[in-house]
Amino acid sequence: MRNPLTTLIARAAEVTTTVPPRPAFLRHCVLALVAAVAAAGSFSAHAQAFPTKPVTLVIPFAAGGPTDLLGRALAQSMGASLGQAVIVENRVGAGGTVASAYVARATKDGYTLLLHHIGMSTAPSLYRKLSFDPLKDFEYLGQVADVPMTVIGRPNLPANTPQELIAYLQREGKAVNLSHAGLGAASQLCGMLLQQAVGAESTTVPFQGTAPALTALIGGQVDLMCDQSMQTVQHIKAGKVKLYGVTTRERLKPLPDAPTLREAGLKDFEVVVWHGLYAPKATPAPVLAALNTALKAALKDPALIKRLDDVGVQVVKEGLQTPEALHAQLSAEVNRWGALIRQAGTYAD
Ligand code: MLT
């Protein structure tokens, strides 16, 4: 079958017989088309060889935090499958939108990827002047993992049980400092739902990720936060923070004594942080296929599964490790959060 660009060259050559000759101009056109064919050929060969150099995985929050920890574990396993290093790069700010905008504009060659969570779906409602569209500017590689959250307090917070915490929040109101990782971050969404469920308004304190927020909590500079088990389990077990409850329907395996917030009386309370892997829109299909294969291989890696299981995190089922499943999840979540955010009238800009 004839390559469309070759056909175009042939047509350009035919034009020389019907149009009064402008030799220099036509020669320029033909040479440009020949160069385009050569570039297309070399790109497709490049795509088949993918990857020939390290891949960058952009993380939208601070190093050492839950997204970073998940990203580094994923990068290691994907790198083993791809036969190339996957290097983590933290690009923080504006609840994860700085990193998303960066990847949306990155070269479409599969060497720049984004790991993001539920925050990808809240961004278009929270940030009305967003420079990218989560539903149009990306290729969707697949869902990755569902991460539970924990509600934790500074070590000397004068509340020892979830019921005491609820009473404390209701009594102290704005005197309570509730930290989070920026508008649209999972910690902010969970904190917002917690305040609604408890019927009390706290003072919120944003950080560039829950890694610095957790340091402030351990140091007693803030009072409370919701954070993903990916980061908190080790600090809870070491007694560095107080644990009040988990945000899942079921208790967590690594924290069997911690009640769910439902058990503690907050009816229907549930937050699970879903994650997806993205590439810039129009990345070539063979490159996307290679990346999806590597994602699936990583999510079967026993070392990765154990690393996550130890902190109560499940990789998603195989049927969700697909572009279609991630796109469907993102679309549904954009609609769900859009309605909630419009109702709440809370915007970042
Ligand atoms: C982080 O890695 O800091 C978190 O994922 C931020 C958040 O969404 O709470």
Side-chain angles (χ1 to χ4, degrees):
M1 211 176 78
R2 212 166 183 198
N3 180 321
L5 283 173
T6 319
T7 310
L8 213 52
I9 290 174
R11 289 210 182 123
E14 280 160 21
V15 170
T16 60
T17 63
T18 54
V19 175
R22 297 178 61 191
F25 172 72
L26 286 168
R27 197 166 48 246
H28 177 77
C29 288
V30 171
L31 287 176
L33 284 166
V34 169
V37 170
S42 102
F43 188 79
S44 116
H46 183 70
Q48 277 154 25
F50 178 87
T52 57
K53 61 178 185 180
V55 172
T56 298
L57 178 60
V58 176
I59 301 293
F61 297 101
T67 316
D68 181 74
L69 294 171
L70 177 62
R72 283 173 200 273
L74 183 68
Q76 195 174 356
S77 298
M78 280 186 72
S81 166
L82 288 167
Q84 281 286 347
V86 177
I87 296 162
V88 166
E89 185 178 313
N90 302 82
R91 286 194 169 254
V92 303
T97 56
V98 168
S100 303
Y102 172 77
V103 174
R105 289 191 296 266
T107 308
K108 307 157 192 329
D109 58 5
Y111 288 99
T112 308
L113 307 178
L114 172 72
L115 175 70
H116 203 346
H117 60 30
I118 193 167
M120 189 71 147
S121 61
T122 58
S125 311
L126 279 173
Y127 294 80
R128 289 170 295 182
K129 293 194 189 99
L130 212 57
S131 69
F132 64 93
D133 183 339
L135 289 169
K136 290 195 183 132
D137 294 341
F138 295 92
E139 300 290 349
Y140 308 91
L141 291 163
Q143 292 186 44
V144 177
D146 292 331
V147 184
M149 299 198 87
T150 52
V151 177
I152 52 178
R154 63 179 155 85
N156 54 355
L157 195 70
N160 292 314
T161 64
Q163 288 75 20
E164 284 179 20
L165 177 71
I166 292 167
Y168 177 78
L169 291 172
Q170 290 167 340
R171 191 175 64 245
E172 300 295 328
K174 289 285 228 180
V176 178
N177 287 319
L178 174 66
S179 59
H180 62 76
L183 273 178
S187 44
Q188 185 258 327
L189 298 171
C190 175
M192 182 181 81
L193 295 176
L194 182 67
Q195 291 174 78
Q196 279 172 4
V198 165
E201 203 180 338
S202 309
T203 299
T204 53
V205 185
F207 288 80
Q208 296 218 315
T210 53
L214 181 61
T215 304
L217 190 77
I218 292 171
Q221 285 97 43
V222 290
D223 299 313
L224 193 73
M225 79 166 166
C226 279
D227 194 14
Q228 296 165 65
S229 65
M230 193 77 215
Q231 168 170 242
T232 59
V233 165
Q234 58 166 319
H235 298 288
I236 292 165
K237 285 185 168 170
K240 290 190 182 160
V241 290
K242 277 189 179 174
L243 170 63
Y244 295 104
V246 298
T247 65
T248 40
R249 281 170 183 266
E250 309 292 332
R251 291 187 176 206
L252 297 188
K253 207 164 77 179
L255 301 169
D257 298 332
T260 67
L261 291 185
R262 290 170 173 238
E263 284 175 63
L266 301 185
K267 194 169 162 284
D268 297 335
F269 198 98
E270 184 179 14
V271 184
V272 178
V273 187
W274 61 271
H275 290 73
L277 187 63
Y278 303 83
K281 186 79 184 170
T283 300
V287 170
L288 295 173
L291 288 167
N292 179 258
T293 302
L295 171 65
K296 286 183 166 159
L299 298 182
K300 282 195 189 72
D301 177 1
L304 178 86
I305 291 171
K306 171 154 184 6
R307 164 87 183 78
L308 299 187
D309 191 56
D310 286 349
V311 289
V313 178
Q314 307 287 315
V315 302
V316 295
K317 293 193 176 74
E318 197 167 349
L320 299 179
Q321 300 164 12
T322 64
E324 298 74 26
L326 175 55
H327 188 260
Q329 170 77 354
L330 181 65
S331 306
E333 288 280 280
V334 165
N335 288 336
R336 180 166 85 98
W337 285 105
L340 285 170
I341 290 163
R342 278 191 299 277
Q343 199 183 350
T346 311
Y347 301 101
D349 42 33

